Amino acid sequence: MSATVTVRVPAKVNVQLAVGAARADGFHDLANVFLAVGLYDEVTATPADELRITCSGPDAAQVPLNATNLAARAAVALAERYGIEPAVHLHIAKDIPVAGGMAGGSADGAAALVACDALWGTGASRDELLAICAELGSDVPFSLVGGAALGTGRGEKLTPIEVGGTFHWVFAVADGGLSTPAVYGEFDRLTAGAEVPEPTASPALLAALRSGDSGALAGALSNDLQPAALSLRPSLADTLAAGTEAGALAALVSGSGPTTAFLVADEAAARKVADALLASGTCRNARVAPAPARGAHVVTA
């Protein structure tokens, strides 16, 4: 048993988010193509007398430090499965935007699960960890896996996708968050009375990922939640326009937002677009990151 374990976990961008009609359970069937990007949170697990969560970094004040935090829920779920007390201090070093549609909370859940597994020596299999992830939330399994994957069901059933190169991204961080349930609710309102097609992955998009072709990927990006996010936060249209005018190959809302994502040709273009976004005054911050990125993994133990 180690004295302390630190796990690094990446953010994600949805390069395709196809959303079906609301199901009887309130969820939506998805064809959700995840791409892990090089913005990371780190979760450090240390033995303690009881479960405790602390957080540092940008927007740390917005992170709940109680039992609702996915990192706390992950520790409790693993402990219950192995009949042990979740006596651990989990410290989250935040660098993924909070409530930004980049799965920061889900990432912390996956990282805490990997960290506690290593700390307690539970020896859980990959399949066991993925099963717990799926119980915690739709995006948590992908945070564990990383790379690129197609998520079906409500996003938790993953099929790995081959990626043939590096893609360069800029993320514009908005002021405040957007509630994911509220965005889905607005999607339902906007599509009421319309025929919502079954969600399927785009063959052109999957081919672009496999070939590593940024131009082809730019032409295939899509997010069915974007109209809902823009309806709730119209100012995001100005951010999307600013990045496109600065030379981004493509722009879209990341997941349920309000972070906006810009695919660019290379590192130099990324810096130019990030500078332009900051100068535009349409966002709070602009972050540059390559993709794909590795899923949750131990960096110190």
Side-chain angles (χ1 to χ4, degrees), residues 31-233:
N32 193 352
V33 181
F34 295 103
L35 186 62
V37 300
L39 296 176
Y40 300 95
D41 281 0
E42 289 189 350
V43 175
T44 298
T46 309
D49 293 333
E50 60 183 6
L51 177 60
R52 185 162 67 95
I53 307 288
T54 56
C55 185
S56 61
D59 304 324
Q62 297 178 44
V63 176
L65 303 180
N66 55 28
T68 66
N69 188 296
L70 277 170
R73 290 175 54 201
V76 169
L78 184 67
E80 284 179 350
R81 184 171 285 228
Y82 283 90
I84 57 179
E85 282 297 312
V88 63
H89 170 209
L90 296 171
H91 179 73
I92 302 167
K94 282 297 297 177
D95 197 38
I96 300 171
V98 175
M102 298 188 74
S106 297
D108 297 340
L113 194 60
V114 173
C116 289
D117 174 57
L119 184 74
W120 298 333
T122 50
S125 69
R126 183 82 158 174
D127 286 347
E128 282 181 277
L129 292 178
L130 282 169
I132 296 172
C133 285
E135 292 165 13
L136 293 170
S138 301
D139 288 350
V140 185
F142 179 71
S143 296
L144 183 77
V145 171
L150 169 63
T152 54
R154 54 184 169 82
E156 83 285 8
K157 300 171 185 171
L158 297 178
T159 304
I161 295 170
E162 182 185 341
V163 181
T166 300
F167 295 98
H168 297 275
W169 293 87
V170 180
F171 297 95
V173 183
D175 276 316
L178 264 179
S179 155
T180 297
V183 175
Y184 274 99
E186 183 68 358
F187 170 85
D188 291 338
R189 188 186 74 80
L190 293 174
T191 57
E195 184 69 29
V196 179
E198 283 293 313
T200 55
S202 158
L205 181 125
L206 299 179
L209 287 170
R210 283 195 299 270
S211 66
D213 185 333
S214 295
L217 183 62
L221 297 177
S222 67
N223 179 3
D224 287 354
L225 290 183
Q226 182 160 310
L230 289 171
S231 175
L232 295 175
R233 188 77 68 83

